[in-house]
Amino acid sequence: MILLEDTRQQAKKHEAKHRWFAEHGIAVVRSKLVVGDYTLPTDQSVCIDTKAGLLEVCGNVTQQHRRFVEEMELAKQLGIRLIILVEENGIRTLEDVNRWSNPRLRFSPKATTGETLYKILSAMEQRHGCRFLFCRKNDSARRIVEILTGGEAK
């Protein structure tokens, strides 16, 4: 199996994924992708954008909202199913985001709460046709392969 990985993906930060891919006979070819971080060279109708936790997602939907929405809309226009795979231990479903405790709340009472983030992500799924999935950090590479080969629903 061959995976395409976006060239904007910082290679040093994803060594665990690369190790897992190599151990399972999966070749990774770096290439500029239109949207997302990973896809298959033979079927680019599904792309996965990986996020290193809910704090990164918070930044995307608040400080970088416009860019984030534009990427979702571009995927939608091109007929690409965009999956945002969030690596967050303890969160398994979108509904679980409700109970997430943003560590920034200790320093700033205006930081985004789990309940607010859940509402934003739910609205984005409905409006822009993307899907937020979650996995433990150690399971990220395996989930990427599962999603791209049709096992996304778990």
Side-chain angles (χ1 to χ4, degrees):
M1 172 181 220
I2 297 172
L3 285 181
L4 296 181
E5 178 184 61
D6 190 71
T7 52
R8 292 165 290 194
Q9 193 67 326
Q10 296 176 353
K12 297 280 186 203
K13 290 188 176 185
H14 302 280
E15 289 175 354
K17 284 186 197 95
H18 287 200
R19 192 170 32 258
W20 190 94
F21 293 143
E23 289 169 0
H24 291 83
I26 298 167
V28 177
V29 175
R30 290 179 58 82
S31 178
K32 187 172 186 318
L33 301 181
V34 178
V35 295
D37 299 322
Y38 297 95
T39 192
L40 295 172
T42 55
D43 179 7
Q44 296 183 31
S45 66
V46 176
C47 290
I48 299 172
D49 191 6
T50 55
K51 300 296 177 188
L54 286 172
L55 275 177
E56 181 179 355
V57 174
C58 265
N60 289 154
V61 301
T62 56
Q63 296 142 354
Q64 302 160 353
H65 183 81
R66 179 183 218 144
R67 180 199 59 79
F68 197 55
V69 167
E70 285 173 356
E71 183 174 9
M72 287 185 250
E73 282 301 309
L74 178 59
K76 190 175 180 180
Q77 289 170 6
L78 296 173
I80 296 171
R81 178 93 194 259
L82 184 61
I83 308 291
I84 295 98
L85 182 62
V86 183
E87 302 167 348
E88 183 74 44
N89 294 337
I91 303 290
R92 300 180 74 165
T93 66
L94 184 56
E95 290 75 26
D96 290 344
V97 174
N98 270 309
R99 63 178 173 74
W100 176 67
S101 180
N102 185 339
R104 292 192 173 142
L105 284 167
R106 289 179 288 176
F107 310 106
S108 172
K110 293 182 179 181
T112 305
T113 64
E115 294 88 0
T116 299
L117 184 58
Y118 167 75
K119 289 175 185 174
I120 293 168
L121 300 183
S122 296
M124 286 183 150
E125 280 192 349
Q126 291 175 354
R127 285 187 195 127
H128 306 292
C130 66
R131 177 100 188 267
F132 289 91
L133 296 179
F134 302 85
C135 68
R136 295 180 322 167
K137 291 181 189 300
N138 294 344
D139 294 336
S140 183
R142 179 183 57 80
R143 285 296 289 137
I144 289 167
V145 172
E146 285 176 356
I147 293 164
L148 291 175
T149 57
E152 128 183 18
K154 294 182 180 177

